[in-house]
Amino acid sequence: MSLEITDENAGDVLVVSPAGRIDSRTAADFEAHVIGAIEGGALHLLFDFGRVNYISSAGLRVLLMAAKRLKGKSGKYAICAMSDPIRQVFEIGGFAKVVPIKGNRDEALSAW
Amino acid sequence: MSNNTLTLTLRNDLEDLSRALEEIEAFGESNDWPMNWLFNTNLALDELISNVIKYGYDDESPHEIAITLTRHGERLTVTLTDDGIAYDPFTEAPQPDTDADVDDKPIGGLGVHLVKTLMDEARYERVGGVNRFTLVQDAKA
């Protein structure tokens, strides 16, 4: 199983949609993609997790790195459309404090 | 009668870990195991085995890692054995501060914390020169 990542622009917001598993094997691809976007100037990042079926601590680490890089800049970031098991992983890991969690993509974007 | 035991071995590389996890998921789905068993087992094995692959060996030789999954009624028991260096992550890994905000948040120990929290029991033993992990999940009512 691989990880495919799609980028879309919604106004100023870059919507990053991974599809598949973000685990010990694929986290490096996710990291390169996300850090590349930030280094390319993206300031507003919405992670749409609607097609992520699994995340491990390797994936959480990438989100933490992104949060650290964006903090102090003028932009913001959030994550939306998580399944219940993935939300549980976020809660156990204390990641609700790190990345704001939104409902679906439209809700996240309309409140941006 | 459905098949309630799966045994498999993998090499110490992440590609083979990915293949093994797919096989476990397919086996569990075909035997109608609860979805949370599959999600949690996948996560626990990814965390523990990726740590073993990255940090568990002091040579460059290929190694074998064995996994057995056994269902007894409403209980799933997963055992994992590897011949890496002795290391008990359940007591030796750092305890992460899950209340920390972005600036202070550590990442070390997070995977082990997820495993301990998601499993009903998570045990480690060193037996006969191998590390043996036992992970137990009970079906939730």
Side-chain angles (χ1 to χ4, degrees):
Chain A
M1 272 173 269
S2 62
L3 181 71
E4 290 182 14
I5 308 169
T6 311
D7 285 346
E8 293 161 82
N9 288 299
D12 291 339
V13 182
L14 179 67
V15 182
V16 178
S17 308
R21 301 166 51 92
I22 308 176
D23 60 15
S24 59
R25 188 175 63 99
T26 61
D29 293 340
F30 186 47
E31 177 180 331
H33 189 97
V34 171
I35 298 305
I38 293 170
E39 286 181 349
L43 282 174
H44 296 268
L45 274 179
L46 176 62
F47 297 100
D48 184 332
F49 267 35
R51 291 184 298 153
V52 176
N53 44 36
Y54 175 82
I55 191 165
S56 73
S57 65
L60 294 178
R61 183 180 151 274
V62 176
L63 294 173
L64 180 61
M65 288 174 64
K68 282 182 193 284
R69 288 193 181 221
L70 286 169
K71 197 167 182 197
K73 296 187 180 178
S74 56
K76 66 187 247 191
Y77 50 90
I79 185 164
C80 69
M82 275 193 278
S83 67
D84 289 343
I86 289 178
R87 180 180 279 262
Q88 187 188 18
V89 170
F90 269 69
E91 284 168 2
I92 294 169
F95 268 69
K97 275 198 159 178
V98 174
V99 187
I101 297 172
K102 308 289 182 188
N104 62 33
R105 186 193 293 207
D106 289 344
E107 274 173 51
L109 289 172
S110 66
W112 206 269
Chain B
M1 189 175 145
S2 64
N3 194 347
N4 282 318
T5 300
L6 175 68
T7 299
L8 65 168
T9 58
L10 61 139
R11 296 185 312 279
N12 56 321
D13 72 64
L14 294 177
E15 289 294 326
D16 212 30
L17 170 58
S18 183
R19 177 200 57 78
L21 295 180
E22 280 180 45
E23 189 176 334
I24 289 168
E25 192 158 314
F27 181 85
E29 282 173 1
S30 68
N31 287 290
D32 290 325
W33 287 1
M35 285 308 294
N36 67 321
W37 279 4
L38 296 176
F39 186 93
N40 294 345
T41 299
N42 237 297
L43 188 136
L45 291 175
D46 187 59
E47 300 290 358
L48 294 175
I49 296 174
S50 64
N51 276 344
V52 169
I53 291 171
K54 282 187 256 182
Y55 309 116
Y57 302 103
D58 51 13
D59 60 31
E60 301 296 318
S61 309
H63 291 266
E64 206 165 72
I65 297 166
I67 304 170
T68 301
L69 297 93
T70 309
R71 178 181 191 167
H72 286 294
E74 298 302 293
R75 170 167 283 201
L76 176 67
T77 303
V78 179
T79 59
L80 167 66
T81 55
D82 68 77
D83 65 351
I85 55 178
Y87 180 69
D88 176 2
F90 299 137
T91 58
E92 294 177 57
Q95 177 68 23
D97 178 0
T98 52
D99 285 331
D101 67 10
V102 173
D103 291 329
D104 303 322
K105 194 161 185 62
I107 202 72
L110 186 62
V112 173
H113 174 68
L114 290 173
V115 175
K116 284 202 283 194
T117 308
L118 289 170
M119 295 294 130
D120 292 300
E121 289 175 40
R123 294 194 302 272
Y124 168 86
E125 305 158 277
R126 180 77 178 177
V127 275
V130 300
N131 298 308
R132 182 161 71 200
F133 299 90
T134 305
L135 308 169
V136 177
Q137 292 174 83
D138 292 314
K140 304 295 181 286

